[in-house]
Structures are given as C-alpha cells and as structure tokens.
C-alpha cells in the first residue's frame, strides 16, 4: 500500500525540492524515541540498583537483563533514526551488532554474571564497548542537529568513562559519579525527545531522496 500523507498535510520546501511528512514518517520517529526511552530507563534502573544495593548476586543478574533491554532499545532506535549520511547510519548499526555479538561471547564464555565479567576484565570493552559507541553516535547526532545541552556532555562522557575504565584511570568513586551523571543525562535526553516536535526529527526528506538518486546513478 502506498505511504499516505498525514491529514492536513503541510508541504515543506527542502534543499532539493518540496516534500510532505507521512504517517510512516511520524510512526518511525515515535518508534525511534520509544527505543531511546526504553534504553535510558533500563540504564537508569541498572545504575539505581547498583547504587542502592551494591554488588549483590541478584543485582548482577538483573544488570545482565537490563543491559539486554538497553541493547534492544538502542537497536530499535538505530533502525528508525533519520541520518542523512547512509555510511554513518550503517556504521552505527554495525557497531551495535558487533557490541551484541561480543556481549554474547562474553556472557557465554564466562560463568560469572555478564557485567561483573566486563567490570573485572576491562579488555572485554574492546568488543562490548561497540554497543556504547553506537549510543554515543546518537548522542553526537542529536548534539550536532539539535544543539541539546545534555548530549553535549554525554558525547565525551561515555567514551571517557569507558576508556578510563579500560586503562584503569578512574578511581571507583569517580566511575560511580560518572555513571550516575550518564544515567541522569540519558533520561533527561530521552524524555525531552518525547516532547519534541516530530518534523525536525524527520529532517529534510528532499536530501534523502537526492542522496538516494545519487547512489542509484553511481551504481
């Protein structure tokens, strides 16, 4: 069935021509934002459990489930995000997949709870960290496109925290503080996305069409 424009259609003038926003466009943005909310809430709950109850066995098991929820939510968002540069979009999706496969390898290759293994063996971040590289790509895109203050902090915070843990740079108290800041800013970002107008998240559809035609002409 052909994609239908929403009622009371507004015709937008893009860089390469006019376009309309369809029901499918709006649905894609809603799914993108829902994925972010799921990922942010899973991450915030995980940090809350660690902060409130400490490294108890049931907490570590819960963290493994919450990480899986975060990964799935991130994947949903990466499937529906609007990014003009297709190579960048594909790269973020590949990072997400690499992080997922690496996580499965760590989870099945060690009898300990997944995130306990990651914490005690920082080198596992060389694989698992690709999940968070994909997430950082979303933060960077949102900071660049919408000048969001929280994503300007999140974009450097995530790699600095993970790389710092990888090389043993951060004391435990600093890591805990940075994780809490990450969780809070991530929730703020996700909730603010829910209230943002939909058309800006779709972007200039004429650019997508132009790039599609260019790829077809060069193939």
């Amino acid at each position: 069935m052909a994609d239908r424009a929403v009622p009371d259609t507004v015709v937008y003038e893009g860089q390469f021509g006019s376009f309309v926003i369809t029901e499918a466009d709006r649905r894609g943005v809603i799914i993108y934002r829902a994925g972010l909310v799921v990922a942010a809430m899973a991450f915030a709950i995980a940090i809350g459990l660690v902060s409130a109850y400490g490294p108890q066995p049931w907490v570590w098991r819960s963290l493994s489930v919450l990480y899986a929820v975060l990964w799935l939510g991130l994947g949903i968002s990466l499937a529906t995000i609007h990014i003009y540069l297709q190579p960048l979009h594909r790269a973020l999706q590949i990072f997400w997949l690499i992080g997922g496969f690496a996580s499965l390898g760590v989870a099945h290759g060690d009898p300990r709870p997944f995130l306990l293994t990651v914490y005690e063996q920082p080198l596992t971040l060389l694989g698992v960290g690709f999940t968070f590289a994909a997430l950082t790509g979303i933060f960077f895109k949102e900071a660049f496109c919408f000048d969001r203050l929280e994503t300007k902090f999140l974009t450097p915070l995530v790699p600095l925290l993970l790389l710092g843990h990888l090389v043993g740079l951060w004391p435990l108290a600093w890591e805990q503080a940075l994780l809490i800041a990450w969780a809070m800013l991530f929730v703020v970002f996700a909730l603010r996305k829910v209230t943002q107008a939909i058309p800006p998240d779709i972007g200039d559809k004429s650019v997508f069409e132009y790039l599609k035609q260019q790829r077809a002409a060069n193939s």
Side-chain angles (χ1 to χ4, degrees):
M1 181 181 295
D3 199 6
R4 295 186 295 115
V6 297
D8 302 321
T9 298
V10 175
V11 177
Y12 296 88
E13 290 300 325
Q15 184 177 352
F16 298 99
S18 59
F19 64 91
V20 296
I21 292 176
T22 66
E23 291 177 356
D25 293 329
R26 290 179 178 272
R27 186 166 55 250
V29 171
I30 291 170
I31 293 172
Y32 163 65
R33 296 176 180 181
L36 289 176
V37 170
V38 168
M41 292 305 174
F43 188 75
I45 292 170
I47 301 306
L49 287 177
V50 173
S51 300
Y53 299 103
Q56 299 187 42
W58 71 268
V59 171
W60 286 115
R61 291 193 295 270
S62 299
L63 295 185
S64 299
V65 175
L66 290 166
Y67 172 82
V69 173
L70 180 151
W71 185 80
L72 289 171
L74 177 59
I76 290 170
S77 293
L78 286 171
T80 51
I81 191 173
H82 288 76
I83 298 179
Y84 293 132
L85 297 177
Q86 188 182 53
L88 175 59
H89 190 182
R90 292 290 178 262
L92 295 181
Q93 291 175 324
I94 291 170
F95 285 177
W96 174 78
L97 281 173
I98 292 173
F101 282 119
S103 299
L104 284 173
V106 172
H108 290 283
D110 194 300
R112 291 173 296 177
F114 166 65
L115 285 180
L116 176 60
T117 302
V118 173
Y119 178 75
E120 293 184 343
Q121 298 184 21
L123 286 177
T124 57
L125 286 171
L126 294 176
V128 176
F130 276 92
T131 295
F132 300 104
L135 178 60
T136 303
I138 292 181
F139 293 152
F140 175 80
K141 180 261 184 187
E142 292 285 342
F144 180 81
C145 293
F146 300 111
D147 199 31
R148 290 196 174 278
L149 180 62
E150 63 273 18
T151 54
K152 290 182 178 180
F153 285 106
L154 284 165
T155 299
L157 186 155
V158 175
L160 283 175
L161 172 58
L162 297 181
L163 291 173
H165 182 70
L166 179 63
V167 300
L169 176 64
W170 306 117
L172 178 59
W174 282 48
E175 288 191 343
Q176 291 174 333
L178 290 172
L179 281 169
I180 291 171
W182 177 355
M184 293 175 62
L185 290 171
F186 193 3
V187 170
V188 169
F189 161 61
L191 294 181
R192 287 187 67 196
K193 288 299 295 182
V194 172
T195 61
Q196 180 182 338
I198 286 180
D201 252 348
I202 296 169
D204 185 347
K205 288 180 64 179
S206 72
V207 174
F208 288 105
E209 184 60 30
Y210 172 78
L211 293 173
K212 181 179 178 181
Q213 292 173 356
Q214 290 293 105
R215 288 193 297 269
N218 293 331
S219 62

